[in-house]
Amino acid sequence: MSTPYPRVGIGVILVNAQGQVLLGKRKGSHAPYWSIAGGHLELGESFEAAAIREVAEETGFIIHHPQVVAVSNNLETWRESGLHYVSVTLLAKVDGEPELREPDKCEGWCWCDPDHLPEPHFDASRQAIASWRAGQ
């Protein structure tokens, strides 16, 4: 479904002590793509508050002080689906294992090597991880 204007997506790169990133295999919207946790920025919400909310809703992790690490213009998604997103990506470190809190939207979570991402990979997630890795 196309919109007459870009929407704002929020993505969160969650990193464990081993340097792996958490990825979920999406269902429904954005299926069958792999992606970092995330969703939409709500009206009046800061990027950090959106990241904290989305991560808790999707994984059960409670994150503190996420940091913005990338902004991307997701034209690949627009060409594929007619949905144009500008995505803001934040980074947070976590310990433990994620919960599958939204099984209608995600098949499951797994820890992955950021240099060997599973495919197919969602445009915004791929761009975010590449930007973060380039800045490390």
Side-chain angles (χ1 to χ4, degrees):
M1 177 180 183
S2 184
T3 59
Y5 53 86
R7 298 185 69 186
V8 179
I10 295 292
V12 187
I13 300 172
L14 298 171
V15 181
N16 66 13
Q18 293 75 38
Q20 298 169 311
V21 296
L22 187 67
L23 298 175
K25 185 158 188 189
R26 298 301 182 176
K27 291 167 63 175
S29 180
H30 307 304
Y33 295 100
W34 289 88
S35 181
I36 58 177
H40 296 99
L41 182 69
E42 295 182 357
L43 290 174
E45 193 172 40
S46 70
F47 299 147
E48 295 81 6
I52 291 167
R53 175 183 52 76
E54 287 289 350
V55 166
E57 288 174 1
E58 293 186 3
T59 70
F61 283 125
I62 304 302
I63 60 173
H64 303 280
H65 311 294
Q67 300 294 311
V68 173
V69 294
V71 175
S72 61
N73 186 14
N74 308 123
L75 295 176
E76 182 179 314
T77 302
W78 179 72
R79 286 190 294 272
E80 289 179 2
S81 68
L83 294 173
H84 186 175
Y85 279 87
V86 173
S87 296
V88 178
T89 304
L90 295 91
L91 175 71
K93 295 183 190 282
V94 293
D95 292 315
E97 292 300 319
E99 300 171 27
L100 183 58
R101 293 257 178 121
E102 296 181 327
D104 57 318
K105 296 180 182 177
C106 182
E107 288 183 23
W109 297 103
C110 69
W111 293 105
C112 300
D113 179 338
D115 293 322
H116 298 91
L117 301 175
E119 292 294 339
H121 207 94
F122 187 51
D123 180 33
S125 179
R126 184 183 330 99
Q127 287 188 50
I129 293 170
S131 295
W132 165 62
R133 298 291 286 165
Q136 276 189 323

